[in-house]
Amino acid sequence: MHYLLKSEPDKYSYDDLLRDGETVWDGIKNNQALITLRNMKKGEMAIIYHSNVGKAAVGTAKVVSVKLAEDGKTPIVTLKAGKRLKREKTLAEIREAGVFQGSIMFRQFRLSVVPLTEEQYDWLVS
């Protein structure tokens, strides 16, 4: 499984992840997004998408670990920086791509964690 993780670049950008090397992906409150985070597995890949500013897929990250916080519900997902995309894919391009037709990304736009199909992931990194 692959994922698209939305980040506000003025709060934490892909450049910040590259600088840090690893980070805990937190601050998620939406129940559906939390369920998706809980289901992540070590080794799975994600696309980091800059929301609000830039509105583009910018780079990759790898899931290093998924643990539950002391409350037993909140996932603690650690990501390792991958590579910057050869070319950023803008929201307009993603919306136009046939591979995203019917995607939850456009049905529930406010979700900050979105599962991706293999085809969607491949299109974003191509």
Side-chain angles (χ1 to χ4, degrees), residues 25-76:
W25 205 258
D26 57 7
I28 309 299
K29 303 290 184 218
N30 178 281
N31 284 331
Q32 188 171 353
L34 289 171
I35 289 168
T36 302
L37 285 174
R38 265 188 235 113
N39 289 327
M40 287 181 168
K41 306 271 187 286
K42 179 180 178 178
E44 291 181 320
M45 296 299 293
I47 299 289
I48 305 300
Y49 173 88
H50 283 170
S51 62
N52 296 338
V53 178
K55 296 186 180 180
V58 294
T60 66
K62 188 177 204 172
V63 177
V64 174
S65 66
V66 181
K67 301 173 186 169
L68 290 179
E70 290 181 16
D71 66 8
K73 297 186 303 184
T74 306
I76 301 171

Side-chain angles (χ1 to χ4, degrees), residues 93-102 120 123:
E93 290 175 288
I94 296 168
R95 190 181 305 272
E96 296 278 325
V99 72
F100 283 92
Q101 188 172 32
Q120 291 166 338
W123 183 87

